[in-house]
Amino acid sequence: MNFRLHASILSQGLTLHLTVITGATLASIAPSSHAYSEHFRRHASKTPKLQRRDIPRVVSEPKLRKRDSPYLNSATEKFVVNGSAIPEVPFDIGESYAGLLPISDDPDETRKIYFWFFPSTNPNATDEVTLWFNGGPGCSSLSGLLTENGPFTWEAGTLSPVQNPYSWTNLTNMLWVEQPIGVGFTQGEPNIRNEEELGQQFIGFYKQFVDAFQVHGHKVYLTGESYAGFYVPYIADAFIKANDTDYYNLKGIAINDPILGDETNQQEGHEVYQTPVVIVPYVDYFQNIFYLNDSFMEAIHARNDECNYTDYLNTYLTFPPPEGPFPVLPDPFASENYTCDMFDSVYEAELLVNPCFNIYHITETCPHPFGQLGIVNPGDYQPPGAQVYFNRSDVQEAINAPPTNWMQCTDRNVFNYGYIDNYTLGDTSLGPAQNGVLQRVIEFTNNTIIGSGNLDMLLNTNGTLLAIQNMTWNGVQGLQEYPGTPFYVPFHPEYNGGALSGAGVVGYWGAERGLTFYQVQLAGHELPGFAPGAGYRQLELLLGRISSLGEVSDFTTQTGNFTGNGTIYKRSEDYGQY
């Protein structure tokens, strides 16, 4: 299938989504500009109160007492977090535990990983733990907690934290983990070179967690986004190889906007996740947003043809794909004038049209919103005197974190022994879709979910699909049919408490041989932040609470007659003119 057919399918999805949502209460999604890539470090110069009955929670959390929680014991008492004393958060976030655990049982171990664990009140979650990872490499998973899927969120450009009705803690016991060593509040010196070593360090940490919180034999689900497209499959593979269900009872993985594939088709080097093969068709599809002039569009189309990207995509982004490994096109940086570096060509041109352009969420325009996680990318704004939330001493004390100059994304190289600013010594592992790692995970779990936000230009939907089509699992290469079944998010009561999400048909999905792929039209890179209802729904699928992403039913944590029927109101003259 070529891109024209893909664009047609996406266009149909957008039309259907808008048709459904005009009959419902419109929801808005707070923008986020957080990103997880070292690319910009090297290219910086280019650049009324919610009531519990209103939200999909199971029950309100009781006050923490020793006899109430199976997770509170002599080993975990030191990790207890006072849920009513989190700075700036005007409500009790419930039972949680946070702190550092070593990556081995060596009494002299100095390398420690920081975690924040939230037990769920959902009665279906008593024997499971779900982990979340952000990417980078080198970025903190606390950014996901604060802006995507945690019990409270503080989105960029907003005044204060709000209760998150789509917190993943409503569904399952959640564990946000900062890793590898060198990230966030972790302690010790980085000393890994690849994902295999990362996986071994992580399973050492997780064994300490299981022993402390007495979750032996619990089902484990691994989730994440961006460079966690490397982390999650490799850690899952380490779980599988450990062959010990008492500690590593892996039952499924879910990753959105992941980096998976080779160095040209989906990315240009591990540190610079660019997508030269798919970038021009992406701009074509979203040209009303990019708004690039005709002469530039003619030029990049001509270069796209010269670099063989047009024919390549028409040949290999098909369903089913041609048999055998896809050829890897030349490195676009190999030529003297970078003729085939389509990503930077488009990015530089777009910054002239929209100087606040966000490659992770292409509909963002000026001004840049200030975010509580600090500056990561060029253009991120931090007002004079502003503090990064997790770098505040009162916050660090409240969540049992060591005094640290916390950064959302570390300025250290977390691979190759922490050599600073030498990214030629980065992660030496291949993409997990290239070397059988992701294949083994799919075949072992038969419960693997890969998602994509269509407003993410950097790791866009076609690039992810191209990586999938170049992979063989359960005896067959790629998806045999385009994943074009409507993705349904339940209609639900929505009260503007600062955290909203759309409903109805939000995108498309398909499932074959243990792998589910989905796309969400109005989501960027941080999919559970931009489309929290969609993120919540895919987690219900991962946990086995629903049968498919096309299931028309309520959220499993909410019941009621929410049909999506509503009235379209005529604008009153009192609203005036824009």
Side-chain angles (χ1 to χ4, degrees), residues 179-180 192-203 231 234-235 415:
Q179 66 85 47
I192 58 173
R193 294 161 296 179
N194 55 52
E195 295 293 325
E196 289 82 2
E197 293 173 355
L198 180 147
Q200 288 305 305
Q201 290 193 353
F202 188 83
I203 66 172
Y231 294 160
Y234 275 98
I235 291 173
F415 290 95

Side-chain angles (χ1 to χ4, degrees), residues 356 364-369:
C356 297
E364 188 174 305
T365 56
C366 292
H368 282 293

Side-chain angles (χ1 to χ4, degrees), residues 61 187 222 231 285 341 398 410 448 558:
E61 296 88 352
Q187 302 288 284
L222 304 177
Y231 294 160
Y285 178 67
D341 178 14
T410 181
T448 293
Q558 181 187 73

Side-chain angles (χ1 to χ4, degrees), residues 10-218:
L10 282 172
S11 178
Q12 293 166 13
L14 179 58
T15 302
L16 182 54
H17 177 63
L18 291 175
T19 301
V20 173
I21 204 166
T22 53
T25 302
L26 287 172
S28 62
I29 300 173
S32 171
S33 62
H34 309 312
Y36 312 104
S37 171
E38 302 293 349
H39 168 70
F40 294 111
R41 296 193 181 98
R42 296 168 22 165
H43 296 268
S45 61
K46 295 180 179 179
T47 358
K49 183 179 177 181
L50 280 175
Q51 300 177 14
R52 289 195 182 274
R53 61 184 173 82
D54 295 335
I55 59 180
R57 297 183 67 85
V58 180
V59 294
S60 60
E61 296 88 352
K63 227 174 185 181
L64 183 60
R65 297 190 300 271
K66 190 167 185 176
R67 67 177 179 273
D68 291 333
S69 176
Y71 306 105
L72 183 59
N73 56 54
S74 59
T76 63
E77 284 180 328
K78 63 183 178 182
F79 299 124
V80 170
V81 173
N82 183 347
S84 61
I86 307 300
E88 311 294 341
V89 180
F91 48 86
D92 190 343
I93 65 171
E95 178 186 6
S96 72
Y97 305 81
L100 293 160
L101 280 170
I103 65 168
S104 75
D105 54 12
D106 183 342
D108 297 322
E109 181 62 74
T110 59
R111 296 161 298 172
K112 297 179 181 179
I113 284 177
Y114 181 82
F115 69 92
W116 198 349
F117 174 54
F118 287 80
S120 177
T121 57
N122 193 314
N124 294 314
T126 57
D127 65 344
E128 66 190 26
V129 179
T130 300
L131 289 76
W132 171 266
F133 306 95
N134 281 99
C139 296
S140 168
S141 297
L142 295 184
S143 62
L145 187 154
L146 190 66
T147 63
E148 299 186 64
N149 51 15
F152 65 96
T153 53
W154 198 344
E155 304 293 358
T158 64
L159 180 63
S160 60
V162 299
Q163 194 167 6
N164 181 14
Y166 307 95
S167 173
W168 288 12
T169 59
N170 297 339
L171 289 167
T172 183
N173 301 313
M174 280 298 303
L175 177 62
W176 283 268
V177 186
E178 290 189 312
Q179 66 85 47
I181 299 299
V183 175
F185 295 123
T186 62
Q187 302 288 284
E189 293 299 317
N191 66 337
I192 58 173
R193 294 161 296 179
N194 55 52
E195 295 293 325
E196 289 82 2
E197 293 173 355
L198 180 147
Q200 288 305 305
Q201 290 193 353
F202 188 83
I203 66 172
F205 155 81
Y206 194 69
K207 183 177 186 294
Q208 306 303 310
F209 177 84
V210 169
D211 285 339
F213 287 90
Q214 293 297 295
V215 290
H216 295 271
H218 278 41

Side-chain angles (χ1 to χ4, degrees), residues 133 217 306 428:
F133 306 95
E306 292 170 7
T428 61

Side-chain angles (χ1 to χ4, degrees), residues 400-421:
N400 302 322
T404 307
N405 181 25
W406 185 92
M407 303 173 67
Q408 182 186 2
C409 296
T410 181
D411 58 2
R412 304 180 66 185
N413 183 352
V414 295
F415 290 95
N416 279 277
Y417 300 91
Y419 289 118
I420 297 175
D421 295 331

